[in-house]
Amino acid sequence: MPRPLPHRLLAEYLGSLLLAALVIGSGIAAQRLSPGDVGLQLLENAAATAVGLYAIILVFGPVSGGHFNPVVSVVDAVFRGLPWRDVPSYALAQVLGCVSGAVLANVMFDAAPVGISTTERATAAHGVSEVVATTGLLLVIFSLVRSGRAALAPAAVGAYVGAAYFFTSSTSFANPALTAGRVFSDTFAGIAPSSVPVFVLAQVVAIAVAVPLLRALHPLQPTTEAPAAPVTEGQVR
């Protein structure tokens, strides 16, 4: 039986808050711990995000599905897991959570609570990377859900996100809510407001790529099809 919507929205808000605080906070820490070594900074940021995301999904997944990401919520609704009427509320909770998490990360590291990022990321390569990263995230999550292996999703999502930091030039944001949240921290993990439309458009395009692939790879028989099990974000950051 699904939990009441207010409970699920609280879980999505808190999980998104912790996700943004994790990504941005570990980025700030990496920048301070390893000044001048961008490769090591990225490794530290990726490792912290991968293991932290695994833990966050375990905490909040049983309550809300652990989406923390509007594209995950939309695809879950496409496959008749999350009711469509709940998608806007989930997305709002996710965006507010990620913005709050960015502010919290700034405060924890004694920076201005709100600092608008100046890091420009809007290039064609970054756009392609976000389509690939987001499509891959959706394939990881929903391949497991649609093949009856949803229990593996927290570990699989954490592993994929950690790897995607390195195999995509965008460092795999793969999440419109987190993309919006990262605007509010002018730090290692930030993104300039002018770059956000390119990233969000690429993330939305990934939905159109991932859904047909999932239906082809993991079709469900009409006689046995059931609502999708709770799914996890992932991500990405």
Side-chain angles (χ1 to χ4, degrees):
M1 193 67 185
R3 297 286 291 273
L5 181 60
H7 295 188
R8 289 184 280 131
L9 294 181
L10 177 61
E12 285 297 301
Y13 172 79
L14 293 175
S16 299
L17 183 154
L18 289 174
L19 174 61
L22 168 65
V23 171
I24 295 170
S26 63
I28 297 171
Q31 197 171 28
R32 293 183 181 181
L33 290 169
S34 307
D37 191 337
V38 178
L40 184 55
Q41 292 170 11
L42 187 62
L43 178 61
E44 292 164 349
N45 192 200
T49 299
V51 297
L53 180 57
Y54 175 42
I56 293 170
I57 293 170
L58 290 178
V59 172
F60 297 107
V63 181
S64 66
H67 297 184
F68 320 139
N69 186 336
V71 299
V72 174
S73 297
V74 168
V75 175
D76 195 23
V78 168
F79 291 128
R80 300 201 292 274
L82 183 69
W84 278 109
R85 66 179 179 274
D86 292 347
V87 171
S89 299
Y90 263 56
L92 179 60
Q94 292 154 357
V95 171
L96 292 176
C98 285
V99 172
S100 301
V103 173
L104 178 61
N106 292 336
V107 170
M108 287 193 295
F109 285 89
D110 198 28
V114 176
I116 303 301
S117 177
T118 57
T119 304
E120 296 288 346
R121 300 178 184 264
T123 69
H126 286 154
V128 172
S129 291
E130 280 301 292
V131 173
V132 171
T134 310
T135 300
L137 176 64
L138 293 172
L139 289 176
V140 168
I141 294 170
F142 290 97
S143 291
L144 293 173
V145 170
R146 288 169 71 79
S147 61
R149 298 174 293 159
L152 298 175
V157 168
Y160 175 81
V161 167
Y165 264 85
F166 287 92
F167 78 77
T168 64
S169 64
S170 65
T171 67
S172 182
F173 284 43
N175 182 337
L178 187 56
T179 302
R182 289 166 72 160
V183 167
F184 294 91
S185 184
D186 191 17
T187 60
F188 181 76
I191 180 173
S194 59
S195 298
V196 169
V198 170
F199 273 57
V200 173
L201 177 61
Q203 293 154 3
V204 171
V205 167
I207 297 174
V209 176
V211 169
L213 288 175
L214 286 162
R215 284 179 169 152
L217 293 169
H218 299 283
L220 294 178
Q221 297 298 323
T223 55
T224 59
E225 185 170 351
V231 301
T232 56
E233 201 278 329
Q235 127 171 20
V236 185
R237 297 172 338 162

PDB file of all heavy atoms in Angstrom, residues 13-53:
ATOM      1  N   TYR A  13      11.698  15.420  -0.523  1.00  0.00           N
ATOM      2  CA  TYR A  13      12.356  16.685  -0.185  1.00  0.00           C
ATOM      3  C   TYR A  13      13.649  16.433   0.584  1.00  0.00           C
ATOM      4  O   TYR A  13      14.713  16.972   0.238  1.00  0.00           O
ATOM      5  CB  TYR A  13      11.418  17.567   0.641  1.00  0.00           C
ATOM      6  CG  TYR A  13      12.088  18.798   1.188  1.00  0.00           C
ATOM      7  CD1 TYR A  13      12.312  19.910   0.385  1.00  0.00           C
ATOM      8  CD2 TYR A  13      12.536  18.836   2.506  1.00  0.00           C
ATOM      9  CE1 TYR A  13      12.958  21.038   0.879  1.00  0.00           C
ATOM     10  CE2 TYR A  13      13.175  19.955   3.013  1.00  0.00           C
ATOM     11  CZ  TYR A  13      13.384  21.054   2.187  1.00  0.00           C
ATOM     12  OH  TYR A  13      14.034  22.163   2.693  1.00  0.00           O
ATOM     13  N   LEU A  14      13.578  15.611   1.618  1.00  0.00           N
ATOM     14  CA  LEU A  14      14.763  15.352   2.440  1.00  0.00           C
ATOM     15  C   LEU A  14      15.838  14.610   1.654  1.00  0.00           C
ATOM     16  O   LEU A  14      17.032  14.916   1.772  1.00  0.00           O
ATOM     17  CB  LEU A  14      14.372  14.560   3.685  1.00  0.00           C
ATOM     18  CG  LEU A  14      13.498  15.290   4.699  1.00  0.00           C
ATOM     19  CD1 LEU A  14      13.076  14.336   5.819  1.00  0.00           C
ATOM     20  CD2 LEU A  14      14.231  16.494   5.278  1.00  0.00           C
ATOM     21  N   GLY A  15      15.428  13.633   0.860  1.00  0.00           N
ATOM     22  CA  GLY A  15      16.406  12.901   0.065  1.00  0.00           C
ATOM     23  C   GLY A  15      17.089  13.797  -0.958  1.00  0.00           C
ATOM     24  O   GLY A  15      18.301  13.716  -1.163  1.00  0.00           O
ATOM     25  N   SER A  16      16.311  14.690  -1.587  1.00  0.00           N
ATOM     26  CA  SER A  16      16.887  15.619  -2.566  1.00  0.00           C
ATOM     27  C   SER A  16      17.802  16.623  -1.884  1.00  0.00           C
ATOM     28  O   SER A  16      18.856  16.987  -2.424  1.00  0.00           O
ATOM     29  CB  SER A  16      15.765  16.349  -3.318  1.00  0.00           C
ATOM     30  OG  SER A  16      14.950  15.438  -4.019  1.00  0.00           O
ATOM     31  N   LEU A  17      17.400  17.080  -0.693  1.00  0.00           N
ATOM     32  CA  LEU A  17      18.248  17.989   0.083  1.00  0.00           C
ATOM     33  C   LEU A  17      19.595  17.340   0.390  1.00  0.00           C
ATOM     34  O   LEU A  17      20.659  17.943   0.181  1.00  0.00           O
ATOM     35  CB  LEU A  17      17.524  18.375   1.368  1.00  0.00           C
ATOM     36  CG  LEU A  17      18.212  19.382   2.312  1.00  0.00           C
ATOM     37  CD1 LEU A  17      17.159  20.123   3.140  1.00  0.00           C
ATOM     38  CD2 LEU A  17      19.193  18.700   3.262  1.00  0.00           C
ATOM     39  N   LEU A  18      19.554  16.105   0.872  1.00  0.00           N
ATOM     40  CA  LEU A  18      20.806  15.419   1.210  1.00  0.00           C
ATOM     41  C   LEU A  18      21.629  15.115  -0.030  1.00  0.00           C
ATOM     42  O   LEU A  18      22.869  15.167   0.010  1.00  0.00           O
ATOM     43  CB  LEU A  18      20.497  14.137   1.981  1.00  0.00           C
ATOM     44  CG  LEU A  18      19.992  14.335   3.411  1.00  0.00           C
ATOM     45  CD1 LEU A  18      19.584  13.000   4.020  1.00  0.00           C
ATOM     46  CD2 LEU A  18      21.055  15.007   4.273  1.00  0.00           C
ATOM     47  N   LEU A  19      20.958  14.809  -1.143  1.00  0.00           N
ATOM     48  CA  LEU A  19      21.686  14.546  -2.378  1.00  0.00           C
ATOM     49  C   LEU A  19      22.457  15.789  -2.821  1.00  0.00           C
ATOM     50  O   LEU A  19      23.648  15.709  -3.150  1.00  0.00           O
ATOM     51  CB  LEU A  19      20.710  14.119  -3.474  1.00  0.00           C
ATOM     52  CG  LEU A  19      21.293  13.949  -4.880  1.00  0.00           C
ATOM     53  CD1 LEU A  19      22.376  12.870  -4.904  1.00  0.00           C
ATOM     54  CD2 LEU A  19      20.193  13.628  -5.882  1.00  0.00           C
ATOM     55  N   ALA A  20      21.792  16.945  -2.823  1.00  0.00           N
ATOM     56  CA  ALA A  20      22.471  18.177  -3.230  1.00  0.00           C
ATOM     57  C   ALA A  20      23.580  18.543  -2.251  1.00  0.00           C
ATOM     58  O   ALA A  20      24.673  18.955  -2.662  1.00  0.00           O
ATOM     59  CB  ALA A  20      21.460  19.322  -3.342  1.00  0.00           C
ATOM     60  N   ALA A  21      23.313  18.395  -0.954  1.00  0.00           N
ATOM     61  CA  ALA A  21      24.342  18.693   0.042  1.00  0.00           C
ATOM     62  C   ALA A  21      25.536  17.762  -0.121  1.00  0.00           C
ATOM     63  O   ALA A  21      26.701  18.177   0.039  1.00  0.00           O
ATOM     64  CB  ALA A  21      23.758  18.568   1.451  1.00  0.00           C
ATOM     65  N   LEU A  22      25.264  16.514  -0.467  1.00  0.00           N
ATOM     66  CA  LEU A  22      26.324  15.526  -0.680  1.00  0.00           C
ATOM     67  C   LEU A  22      27.180  15.891  -1.889  1.00  0.00           C
ATOM     68  O   LEU A  22      28.418  15.927  -1.813  1.00  0.00           O
ATOM     69  CB  LEU A  22      25.683  14.159  -0.876  1.00  0.00           C
ATOM     70  CG  LEU A  22      26.544  13.007  -1.389  1.00  0.00           C
ATOM     71  CD1 LEU A  22      27.610  12.657  -0.370  1.00  0.00           C
ATOM     72  CD2 LEU A  22      25.662  11.795  -1.680  1.00  0.00           C
ATOM     73  N   VAL A  23      26.536  16.174  -3.008  1.00  0.00           N
ATOM     74  CA  VAL A  23      27.266  16.470  -4.239  1.00  0.00           C
ATOM     75  C   VAL A  23      28.066  17.768  -4.090  1.00  0.00           C
ATOM     76  O   VAL A  23      29.263  17.823  -4.406  1.00  0.00           O
ATOM     77  CB  VAL A  23      26.292  16.576  -5.423  1.00  0.00           C
ATOM     78  CG1 VAL A  23      27.002  17.111  -6.664  1.00  0.00           C
ATOM     79  CG2 VAL A  23      25.671  15.219  -5.722  1.00  0.00           C
ATOM     80  N   ILE A  24      27.409  18.812  -3.617  1.00  0.00           N
ATOM     81  CA  ILE A  24      28.066  20.121  -3.530  1.00  0.00           C
ATOM     82  C   ILE A  24      29.064  20.146  -2.383  1.00  0.00           C
ATOM     83  O   ILE A  24      30.195  20.635  -2.532  1.00  0.00           O
ATOM     84  CB  ILE A  24      27.011  21.228  -3.368  1.00  0.00           C
ATOM     85  CG1 ILE A  24      26.146  21.294  -4.631  1.00  0.00           C
ATOM     86  CG2 ILE A  24      27.678  22.578  -3.102  1.00  0.00           C
ATOM     87  CD1 ILE A  24      24.924  22.189  -4.498  1.00  0.00           C
ATOM     88  N   GLY A  25      28.672  19.602  -1.226  1.00  0.00           N
ATOM     89  CA  GLY A  25      29.575  19.602  -0.080  1.00  0.00           C
ATOM     90  C   GLY A  25      30.847  18.812  -0.331  1.00  0.00           C
ATOM     91  O   GLY A  25      31.952  19.266  -0.004  1.00  0.00           O
ATOM     92  N   SER A  26      30.716  17.644  -0.953  1.00  0.00           N
ATOM     93  CA  SER A  26      31.920  16.859  -1.244  1.00  0.00           C
ATOM     94  C   SER A  26      32.769  17.542  -2.309  1.00  0.00           C
ATOM     95  O   SER A  26      34.001  17.409  -2.315  1.00  0.00           O
ATOM     96  CB  SER A  26      31.551  15.439  -1.674  1.00  0.00           C
ATOM     97  OG  SER A  26      30.809  15.434  -2.881  1.00  0.00           O
ATOM     98  N   GLY A  27      32.120  18.307  -3.202  1.00  0.00           N
ATOM     99  CA  GLY A  27      32.875  19.065  -4.190  1.00  0.00           C
ATOM    100  C   GLY A  27      33.692  20.175  -3.544  1.00  0.00           C
ATOM    101  O   GLY A  27      34.860  20.398  -3.897  1.00  0.00           O
ATOM    102  N   ILE A  28      33.073  20.872  -2.576  1.00  0.00           N
ATOM    103  CA  ILE A  28      33.795  21.927  -1.867  1.00  0.00           C
ATOM    104  C   ILE A  28      34.951  21.332  -1.076  1.00  0.00           C
ATOM    105  O   ILE A  28      36.081  21.846  -1.081  1.00  0.00           O
ATOM    106  CB  ILE A  28      32.852  22.701  -0.930  1.00  0.00           C
ATOM    107  CG1 ILE A  28      31.756  23.412  -1.730  1.00  0.00           C
ATOM    108  CG2 ILE A  28      33.635  23.718  -0.101  1.00  0.00           C
ATOM    109  CD1 ILE A  28      30.665  24.024  -0.865  1.00  0.00           C
ATOM    110  N   ALA A  29      34.676  20.236  -0.366  1.00  0.00           N
ATOM    111  CA  ALA A  29      35.718  19.586   0.429  1.00  0.00           C
ATOM    112  C   ALA A  29      36.871  19.131  -0.463  1.00  0.00           C
ATOM    113  O   ALA A  29      38.046  19.306  -0.110  1.00  0.00           O
ATOM    114  CB  ALA A  29      35.128  18.399   1.185  1.00  0.00           C
ATOM    115  N   ALA A  30      36.545  18.537  -1.614  1.00  0.00           N
ATOM    116  CA  ALA A  30      37.590  18.069  -2.525  1.00  0.00           C
ATOM    117  C   ALA A  30      38.448  19.228  -3.018  1.00  0.00           C
ATOM    118  O   ALA A  30      39.673  19.120  -3.111  1.00  0.00           O
ATOM    119  CB  ALA A  30      36.947  17.336  -3.699  1.00  0.00           C
ATOM    120  N   GLN A  31      37.804  20.335  -3.330  1.00  0.00           N
ATOM    121  CA  GLN A  31      38.530  21.510  -3.820  1.00  0.00           C
ATOM    122  C   GLN A  31      39.487  22.040  -2.767  1.00  0.00           C
ATOM    123  O   GLN A  31      40.596  22.473  -3.076  1.00  0.00           O
ATOM    124  CB  GLN A  31      37.525  22.581  -4.221  1.00  0.00           C
ATOM    125  CG  GLN A  31      38.083  23.677  -5.105  1.00  0.00           C
ATOM    126  CD  GLN A  31      36.973  24.564  -5.641  1.00  0.00           C
ATOM    127  OE1 GLN A  31      35.922  24.733  -5.026  1.00  0.00           O
ATOM    128  NE2 GLN A  31      37.199  25.135  -6.811  1.00  0.00           N
ATOM    129  N   ARG A  32      39.088  21.960  -1.505  1.00  0.00           N
ATOM    130  CA  ARG A  32      39.935  22.482  -0.429  1.00  0.00           C
ATOM    131  C   ARG A  32      41.009  21.475  -0.015  1.00  0.00           C
ATOM    132  O   ARG A  32      42.117  21.862   0.361  1.00  0.00           O
ATOM    133  CB  ARG A  32      39.067  22.843   0.781  1.00  0.00           C
ATOM    134  CG  ARG A  32      38.129  24.012   0.506  1.00  0.00           C
ATOM    135  CD  ARG A  32      37.331  24.403   1.731  1.00  0.00           C
ATOM    136  NE  ARG A  32      36.411  25.512   1.439  1.00  0.00           N
ATOM    137  CZ  ARG A  32      35.604  26.064   2.340  1.00  0.00           C
ATOM    138  NH1 ARG A  32      35.590  25.608   3.582  1.00  0.00           N
ATOM    139  NH2 ARG A  32      34.800  27.057   2.003  1.00  0.00           N
ATOM    140  N   LEU A  33      40.672  20.184  -0.080  1.00  0.00           N
ATOM    141  CA  LEU A  33      41.632  19.166   0.329  1.00  0.00           C
ATOM    142  C   LEU A  33      42.726  18.943  -0.710  1.00  0.00           C
ATOM    143  O   LEU A  33      43.856  18.586  -0.366  1.00  0.00           O
ATOM    144  CB  LEU A  33      40.911  17.844   0.595  1.00  0.00           C
ATOM    145  CG  LEU A  33      40.011  17.791   1.830  1.00  0.00           C
ATOM    146  CD1 LEU A  33      39.169  16.528   1.816  1.00  0.00           C
ATOM    147  CD2 LEU A  33      40.842  17.865   3.106  1.00  0.00           C
ATOM    148  N   SER A  34      42.376  19.124  -1.995  1.00  0.00           N
ATOM    149  CA  SER A  34      43.315  18.830  -3.080  1.00  0.00           C
ATOM    150  C   SER A  34      43.427  20.013  -4.028  1.00  0.00           C
ATOM    151  O   SER A  34      43.120  19.900  -5.218  1.00  0.00           O
ATOM    152  CB  SER A  34      42.857  17.578  -3.835  1.00  0.00           C
ATOM    153  OG  SER A  34      42.643  16.494  -2.965  1.00  0.00           O
ATOM    154  N   PRO A  35      43.870  21.148  -3.543  1.00  0.00           N
ATOM    155  CA  PRO A  35      43.949  22.330  -4.405  1.00  0.00           C
ATOM    156  C   PRO A  35      44.918  22.109  -5.561  1.00  0.00           C
ATOM    157  O   PRO A  35      45.994  21.532  -5.392  1.00  0.00           O
ATOM    158  CB  PRO A  35      44.451  23.422  -3.455  1.00  0.00           C
ATOM    159  CG  PRO A  35      45.134  22.691  -2.349  1.00  0.00           C
ATOM    160  CD  PRO A  35      44.399  21.411  -2.186  1.00  0.00           C
ATOM    161  N   GLY A  36      44.506  22.532  -6.735  1.00  0.00           N
ATOM    162  CA  GLY A  36      45.385  22.434  -7.895  1.00  0.00           C
ATOM    163  C   GLY A  36      45.378  21.095  -8.597  1.00  0.00           C
ATOM    164  O   GLY A  36      46.044  20.927  -9.612  1.00  0.00           O
ATOM    165  N   ASP A  37      44.637  20.110  -8.078  1.00  0.00           N
ATOM    166  CA  ASP A  37      44.596  18.782  -8.703  1.00  0.00           C
ATOM    167  C   ASP A  37      43.147  18.461  -9.043  1.00  0.00           C
ATOM    168  O   ASP A  37      42.433  17.841  -8.254  1.00  0.00           O
ATOM    169  CB  ASP A  37      45.186  17.730  -7.758  1.00  0.00           C
ATOM    170  CG  ASP A  37      45.414  16.391  -8.446  1.00  0.00           C
ATOM    171  OD1 ASP A  37      44.745  16.123  -9.463  1.00  0.00           O
ATOM    172  OD2 ASP A  37      46.257  15.613  -7.960  1.00  0.00           O
ATOM    173  N   VAL A  38      42.706  18.859 -10.226  1.00  0.00           N
ATOM    174  CA  VAL A  38      41.301  18.713 -10.599  1.00  0.00           C
ATOM    175  C   VAL A  38      40.906  17.245 -10.708  1.00  0.00           C
ATOM    176  O   VAL A  38      39.795  16.862 -10.340  1.00  0.00           O
ATOM    177  CB  VAL A  38      41.014  19.451 -11.922  1.00  0.00           C
ATOM    178  CG1 VAL A  38      39.567  19.248 -12.339  1.00  0.00           C
ATOM    179  CG2 VAL A  38      41.303  20.940 -11.766  1.00  0.00           C
ATOM    180  N   GLY A  39      41.828  16.414 -11.201  1.00  0.00           N
ATOM    181  CA  GLY A  39      41.526  14.991 -11.318  1.00  0.00           C
ATOM    182  C   GLY A  39      41.237  14.357  -9.972  1.00  0.00           C
ATOM    183  O   GLY A  39      40.273  13.603  -9.813  1.00  0.00           O
ATOM    184  N   LEU A  40      42.045  14.680  -8.974  1.00  0.00           N
ATOM    185  CA  LEU A  40      41.837  14.139  -7.638  1.00  0.00           C
ATOM    186  C   LEU A  40      40.565  14.716  -7.026  1.00  0.00           C
ATOM    187  O   LEU A  40      39.825  14.004  -6.338  1.00  0.00           O
ATOM    188  CB  LEU A  40      43.045  14.438  -6.754  1.00  0.00           C
ATOM    189  CG  LEU A  40      43.028  13.844  -5.340  1.00  0.00           C
ATOM    190  CD1 LEU A  40      42.815  12.336  -5.386  1.00  0.00           C
ATOM    191  CD2 LEU A  40      44.334  14.181  -4.611  1.00  0.00           C
ATOM    192  N   GLN A  41      40.301  15.977  -7.279  1.00  0.00           N
ATOM    193  CA  GLN A  41      39.062  16.584  -6.793  1.00  0.00           C
ATOM    194  C   GLN A  41      37.843  15.848  -7.333  1.00  0.00           C
ATOM    195  O   GLN A  41      36.901  15.537  -6.594  1.00  0.00           O
ATOM    196  CB  GLN A  41      39.009  18.055  -7.193  1.00  0.00           C
ATOM    197  CG  GLN A  41      40.023  18.948  -6.505  1.00  0.00           C
ATOM    198  CD  GLN A  41      40.081  20.336  -7.121  1.00  0.00           C
ATOM    199  OE1 GLN A  41      39.233  20.704  -7.937  1.00  0.00           O
ATOM    200  NE2 GLN A  41      41.094  21.109  -6.748  1.00  0.00           N
ATOM    201  N   LEU A  42      37.867  15.551  -8.625  1.00  0.00           N
ATOM    202  CA  LEU A  42      36.742  14.855  -9.241  1.00  0.00           C
ATOM    203  C   LEU A  42      36.594  13.449  -8.678  1.00  0.00           C
ATOM    204  O   LEU A  42      35.472  12.983  -8.439  1.00  0.00           O
ATOM    205  CB  LEU A  42      36.933  14.798 -10.757  1.00  0.00           C
ATOM    206  CG  LEU A  42      35.748  14.243 -11.554  1.00  0.00           C
ATOM    207  CD1 LEU A  42      34.522  15.117 -11.375  1.00  0.00           C
ATOM    208  CD2 LEU A  42      36.107  14.130 -13.032  1.00  0.00           C
ATOM    209  N   LEU A  43      37.709  12.767  -8.443  1.00  0.00           N
ATOM    210  CA  LEU A  43      37.661  11.425  -7.868  1.00  0.00           C
ATOM    211  C   LEU A  43      37.048  11.458  -6.478  1.00  0.00           C
ATOM    212  O   LEU A  43      36.193  10.618  -6.138  1.00  0.00           O
ATOM    213  CB  LEU A  43      39.073  10.830  -7.812  1.00  0.00           C
ATOM    214  CG  LEU A  43      39.186   9.438  -7.177  1.00  0.00           C
ATOM    215  CD1 LEU A  43      38.364   8.418  -7.951  1.00  0.00           C
ATOM    216  CD2 LEU A  43      40.648   9.011  -7.109  1.00  0.00           C
ATOM    217  N   GLU A  44      37.456  12.406  -5.661  1.00  0.00           N
ATOM    218  CA  GLU A  44      36.908  12.515  -4.306  1.00  0.00           C
ATOM    219  C   GLU A  44      35.416  12.840  -4.344  1.00  0.00           C
ATOM    220  O   GLU A  44      34.621  12.256  -3.598  1.00  0.00           O
ATOM    221  CB  GLU A  44      37.680  13.594  -3.541  1.00  0.00           C
ATOM    222  CG  GLU A  44      39.124  13.224  -3.255  1.00  0.00           C
ATOM    223  CD  GLU A  44      39.994  14.412  -2.861  1.00  0.00           C
ATOM    224  OE1 GLU A  44      39.533  15.573  -3.013  1.00  0.00           O
ATOM    225  OE2 GLU A  44      41.126  14.178  -2.417  1.00  0.00           O
ATOM    226  N   ASN A  45      35.035  13.749  -5.214  1.00  0.00           N
ATOM    227  CA  ASN A  45      33.634  14.125  -5.370  1.00  0.00           C
ATOM    228  C   ASN A  45      32.796  12.929  -5.832  1.00  0.00           C
ATOM    229  O   ASN A  45      31.711  12.656  -5.302  1.00  0.00           O
ATOM    230  CB  ASN A  45      33.556  15.275  -6.370  1.00  0.00           C
ATOM    231  CG  ASN A  45      32.213  15.970  -6.439  1.00  0.00           C
ATOM    232  OD1 ASN A  45      31.918  16.641  -7.421  1.00  0.00           O
ATOM    233  ND2 ASN A  45      31.380  15.863  -5.420  1.00  0.00           N
ATOM    234  N   ALA A  46      33.305  12.195  -6.814  1.00  0.00           N
ATOM    235  CA  ALA A  46      32.581  11.042  -7.358  1.00  0.00           C
ATOM    236  C   ALA A  46      32.437   9.934  -6.333  1.00  0.00           C
ATOM    237  O   ALA A  46      31.358   9.337  -6.186  1.00  0.00           O
ATOM    238  CB  ALA A  46      33.298  10.515  -8.597  1.00  0.00           C
ATOM    239  N   ALA A  47      33.508   9.638  -5.606  1.00  0.00           N
ATOM    240  CA  ALA A  47      33.463   8.550  -4.629  1.00  0.00           C
ATOM    241  C   ALA A  47      32.472   8.865  -3.520  1.00  0.00           C
ATOM    242  O   ALA A  47      31.675   8.000  -3.107  1.00  0.00           O
ATOM    243  CB  ALA A  47      34.859   8.319  -4.049  1.00  0.00           C
ATOM    244  N   ALA A  48      32.517  10.092  -3.009  1.00  0.00           N
ATOM    245  CA  ALA A  48      31.587  10.480  -1.943  1.00  0.00           C
ATOM    246  C   ALA A  48      30.147  10.423  -2.429  1.00  0.00           C
ATOM    247  O   ALA A  48      29.244   9.950  -1.714  1.00  0.00           O
ATOM    248  CB  ALA A  48      31.928  11.881  -1.440  1.00  0.00           C
ATOM    249  N   THR A  49      29.914  10.883  -3.655  1.00  0.00           N
ATOM    250  CA  THR A  49      28.558  10.874  -4.194  1.00  0.00           C
ATOM    251  C   THR A  49      28.047   9.453  -4.376  1.00  0.00           C
ATOM    252  O   THR A  49      26.894   9.146  -4.040  1.00  0.00           O
ATOM    253  CB  THR A  49      28.515  11.620  -5.544  1.00  0.00           C
ATOM    254  OG1 THR A  49      28.925  12.980  -5.335  1.00  0.00           O
ATOM    255  CG2 THR A  49      27.126  11.610  -6.125  1.00  0.00           C
ATOM    256  N   ALA A  50      28.873   8.576  -4.888  1.00  0.00           N
ATOM    257  CA  ALA A  50      28.446   7.199  -5.154  1.00  0.00           C
ATOM    258  C   ALA A  50      28.026   6.479  -3.875  1.00  0.00           C
ATOM    259  O   ALA A  50      26.944   5.885  -3.815  1.00  0.00           O
ATOM    260  CB  ALA A  50      29.571   6.433  -5.851  1.00  0.00           C
ATOM    261  N   VAL A  51      28.855   6.541  -2.855  1.00  0.00           N
ATOM    262  CA  VAL A  51      28.523   5.806  -1.632  1.00  0.00           C
ATOM    263  C   VAL A  51      27.428   6.507  -0.842  1.00  0.00           C
ATOM    264  O   VAL A  51      26.571   5.866  -0.223  1.00  0.00           O
ATOM    265  CB  VAL A  51      29.776   5.568  -0.763  1.00  0.00           C
ATOM    266  CG1 VAL A  51      30.776   4.705  -1.498  1.00  0.00           C
ATOM    267  CG2 VAL A  51      30.425   6.877  -0.324  1.00  0.00           C
ATOM    268  N   GLY A  52      27.436   7.842  -0.863  1.00  0.00           N
ATOM    269  CA  GLY A  52      26.402   8.579  -0.143  1.00  0.00           C
ATOM    270  C   GLY A  52      25.030   8.384  -0.763  1.00  0.00           C
ATOM    271  O   GLY A  52      24.029   8.235  -0.049  1.00  0.00           O
ATOM    272  N   LEU A  53      24.964   8.366  -2.080  1.00  0.00           N
ATOM    273  CA  LEU A  53      23.693   8.158  -2.755  1.00  0.00           C
ATOM    274  C   LEU A  53      23.119   6.785  -2.435  1.00  0.00           C
ATOM    275  O   LEU A  53      21.904   6.634  -2.229  1.00  0.00           O
ATOM    276  CB  LEU A  53      23.883   8.323  -4.266  1.00  0.00           C
ATOM    277  CG  LEU A  53      22.646   8.132  -5.136  1.00  0.00           C
ATOM    278  CD1 LEU A  53      21.533   9.084  -4.730  1.00  0.00           C
ATOM    279  CD2 LEU A  53      23.002   8.338  -6.605  1.00  0.00           C
TER     280      LEU A  53
END
